[in-house]
Amino acid sequence: MNHKLISKILGLILIIETAFMIPSLILGLVYDDGSARGFIISMALAIIIGLILVNIKIDKRSLSPTDGIMIVTVTWVAVSIIGALPLFIGTAMTYIDSLFEIVSGFTTTGASVISEIEEFPKSIILWRSTTHWIGGMGILVFTVGLLPKLGVGGFQIYKAESPGPVSGKIESRISQSSQRLYIIYLIITLILFIFLKIAGMSFFDSIVHTFGVVGTGGFSSQNDSFMSYSGYAIPIIMSVFMFMCATNFQVYALLSKKKFKEIFMSSEIKFWFIFIAFVIIAIALNLYKEGYGTIGESLRDSAFQVTSISSTSGFANSDYDLWPNFSRFLLLVCMIFGGCAGSTGGGVKIVRISVLLKLISREMKKATHPKAVLPIRSNGKNVDDNIVLGISAYLGIYFIIALFSTAIVASSGRDILTSFSSVATTLSNVGPGFGDIGPTKNFAFYSDFYKIYFSILMLLGRLEFFTIMGLFAPRYRKKGAFN
């Protein structure tokens, strides 16, 4: 393992993290709210460690798959440990609560232990939302764009951090791909901010909610999320952009190149549009039938909540935990499915569900035609059996971890609905769930042990299991594997 290069890249990332803290530090100094000290100490610590690591002389500039996995795992843990310090030093929060909050931020989960966010310094509110924006696209994907300056290729890092299957054909232009994705990311961020400001949001709230939507995180500057907002303009804007940010960002790259045929051929995109449209209509009709309100109000709130949960943003414009059981069940399905691969959304990803359904269909056909050769097709092409096997393994380990973790959380004395949704919402990086962690509640009642456990689940979900678990594979534990 290339320890020196790994350390050098980690140092670069810690320095980058301090740059993202600067706006929050300035805000803390302007308001003189006592939070500046926490940012100064955190930034000083990160810069000192970063400079020491960056100045390490490296002998080899290549990265193996194991190196990529190690960099991603260590980086996400390190930026969370440093990122939690402003909350711990600048507020009355314990370090475990601060760590939970920031891991939730970086993984774009949006689960919180804060009950009265309005009472917190604006600088802290801005920082926790900034972590959404950083974690949405991935701080390492950003860093990959800088690696050529070190003479280092970044494909192994990109592959280890990016959600969903990654094609090896982009290796030769990975730096350009990273830069292009961030340009798209910045453009969407700017457009959404302008729209929210025009729709009547304050300047500060527009920034906070823009970061939460684009990163599909869900942290709000209001304790009740969006329940205090009335009208149609803001919910519609939010719904459209939550859907957009949970759509594979390669779609926008293809749009910019006018490659419309490739977009229309995408099985994932077609399934995504159909699924979201179906769930929105089904929940709206269910709400209207149960006397929730007018058909317009039912459609508005259904569209907002479906796009929020399926994109794993986790915002709420109503207490959906009081909705009919059928609507709540569909939201739970959205929570597990999540958004598209290559988006900022979490969950198991629509592309995996699409392939799974095709696999089930194939096996049903083979039951009556055992000798038939029936390849699984996606985007007009045959899907390699190794990819199908990988998707099956991923879905299997997701549900094994979900069931095992539900048993652990249930041992705390919580009911099954609360226990399962606590696991599902952290593993899928959604945020709020059902029962005692519904949209009007949070994770504050859990003990430190469970907060740490949920933090691990959030990291596992964001890095999609195998990135972290690969480090503990038997072949890596053998003597010499990490030398």
Side-chain angles (χ1 to χ4, degrees):
M1 182 173 287
N2 196 341
H3 294 97
K4 291 182 178 180
L5 183 53
I6 291 171
S7 299
K8 194 177 186 74
I9 293 173
L10 176 59
L12 175 62
I13 291 165
L14 289 177
I15 293 173
I16 291 172
E17 183 181 18
T18 64
F20 282 110
M21 287 187 184
I22 292 175
S24 298
L25 171 61
I26 294 173
L27 199 61
L29 291 171
V30 170
Y31 281 94
D32 193 21
D33 52 22
S35 64
R37 176 171 168 266
F39 286 106
I40 291 172
I41 294 174
S42 304
M43 293 170 71
L45 181 62
I47 288 174
I48 291 171
I49 297 173
L51 288 175
I52 292 173
L53 296 178
V54 164
N55 284 289
I56 292 176
K57 293 183 179 180
I58 54 178
D59 305 315
K60 187 174 64 172
R61 295 179 181 272
S62 61
L63 292 169
S64 68
T66 309
D67 292 334
I69 291 173
M70 178 61 78
I71 290 171
V72 170
T73 304
V74 172
T75 293
W76 278 80
V77 173
V79 296
S80 297
I81 290 172
I82 295 293
L85 290 176
L87 278 71
F88 175 59
I89 299 171
T91 70
M93 296 176 67
T94 66
Y95 185 74
I96 296 299
D97 282 353
S98 301
L99 184 63
F100 177 94
E101 201 76 14
I102 291 303
V103 170
S104 178
F106 277 121
T107 58
T108 71
T109 303
S112 181
V113 294
I114 299 174
S115 298
E116 300 295 335
I117 188 61
E118 295 93 341
E119 298 178 4
F120 275 63
K122 287 185 178 295
S123 56
I124 296 295
I125 297 174
L126 177 61
W127 171 236
R128 70 200 281 268
S129 293
T130 301
T131 60
H132 276 339
W133 194 86
I134 299 170
M137 185 60 71
I139 190 171
L140 283 154
V141 173
F142 174 80
T143 308
V144 161
L146 303 177
L147 291 183
K149 300 182 185 302
L150 300 177
V152 178
F155 178 68
Q156 299 301 343
I157 297 176
Y158 188 98
K159 184 177 180 180
E161 187 187 41
S162 298
V166 177
S167 175
K169 67 182 180 181
I170 63 176
E171 182 172 3
S172 62
R173 49 191 171 86
I174 187 68
S175 177
Q176 293 89 334
S177 296
S178 171
Q179 293 169 12
R180 185 173 63 250
L181 288 174
Y182 255 102
I183 290 172
I184 295 171
Y185 199 55
L186 283 166
I187 291 172
I188 293 176
T189 299
L190 181 60
I191 293 174
L192 175 56
F193 169 77
I194 293 172
F195 277 19
L196 291 178
K197 190 70 181 69
I198 293 174
M201 258 193 196
S202 69
F203 184 88
F204 181 75
D205 284 353
S206 295
I207 292 176
V208 169
H209 291 105
T210 293
F211 286 173
V213 170
V214 178
T216 60
F219 280 151
S220 174
S221 52
Q222 308 294 324
N223 196 56
D224 63 358
S225 193
F226 271 85
M227 296 183 198
S228 58
Y229 286 93
S230 57
Y232 284 82
I234 291 177
I236 290 175
I237 292 170
M238 294 280 288
S239 298
V240 170
F241 276 85
M242 285 188 289
F243 179 81
M244 286 175 57
C245 293
T247 301
N248 195 322
F249 271 56
Q250 290 296 338
V251 168
Y252 308 122
L254 292 172
L255 280 173
S256 67
K257 297 177 181 179
K258 298 181 180 180
K259 295 184 177 180
F260 305 113
K261 185 177 180 180
E262 290 187 36
I263 297 173
F264 293 134
M265 287 181 62
S266 172
S267 301
E268 178 189 31
I269 298 303
K270 287 187 285 188
F271 186 91
W272 172 236
F273 273 80
I274 293 171
F275 173 72
I276 293 299
F278 169 78
V279 177
I280 288 175
I281 294 171
I283 290 181
L285 292 175
N286 184 230
L287 292 176
Y288 181 67
K289 178 184 176 183
E290 296 295 328
Y292 181 81
T294 66
I295 188 64
E297 292 170 337
S298 299
L299 274 171
R300 176 197 62 190
D301 291 353
S302 173
F304 184 95
Q305 216 55 71
V306 169
T307 53
S308 176
I309 297 298
S310 61
S311 69
T312 69
S313 296
F315 289 109
N317 70 336
S318 62
D319 189 355
Y320 59 78
D321 208 23
L322 301 177
W323 285 7
N325 288 332
F326 176 70
S327 295
R328 294 166 70 209
F329 170 76
L330 289 181
L331 288 179
L332 181 60
V333 172
C334 290
M335 180 184 295
I336 295 172
F337 280 17
C340 297
S343 73
T344 59
V348 301
K349 302 292 184 300
I350 289 296
V351 66
R352 291 190 175 101
I353 299 299
S354 175
V355 171
L356 176 65
L357 293 176
K358 292 177 180 180
L359 176 61
I360 292 173
S361 175
R362 184 183 75 174
E363 294 306 308
M364 291 175 66
K365 291 176 182 177
K366 289 184 71 174
T368 53
H369 301 84
K371 295 184 179 180
V373 178
L374 304 170
I376 294 175
R377 295 181 63 81
S378 182
N379 302 337
K381 301 177 181 178
N382 292 345
V383 179
D384 189 275
D385 285 342
N386 287 330
I387 294 178
V388 176
L389 181 61
I391 289 173
S392 300
Y394 176 90
L395 293 171
I397 198 167
Y398 178 95
F399 288 107
I400 289 172
I401 291 177
L403 292 174
F404 176 76
S405 298
T406 299
I408 291 177
V409 177
S411 67
S412 68
R414 296 291 162 178
D415 61 273
I416 294 299
L417 178 61
T418 298
S419 299
F420 179 74
S421 66
S422 294
V423 170
T425 197
T426 50
L427 206 53
S428 292
N429 304 132
V430 178
F434 299 92
D436 293 341
I437 58 159
T440 61
K441 303 166 186 176
N442 58 41
F443 286 72
F445 60 83
Y446 280 112
S447 68
D448 285 351
F449 168 79
Y450 291 103
K451 290 172 184 173
I452 293 173
Y453 190 80
F454 288 133
S455 297
I456 294 172
L457 291 183
M458 287 187 276
L459 286 169
L460 281 172
R462 175 60 181 82
L463 300 180
E464 302 205 327
F465 308 128
F466 298 120
T467 296
I468 294 177
M469 296 177 70
L471 294 177
F472 302 97
R475 66 191 181 98
Y476 290 144
R477 292 202 305 267
K478 292 179 181 178
K479 183 177 180 180
F482 289 99
N483 294 334

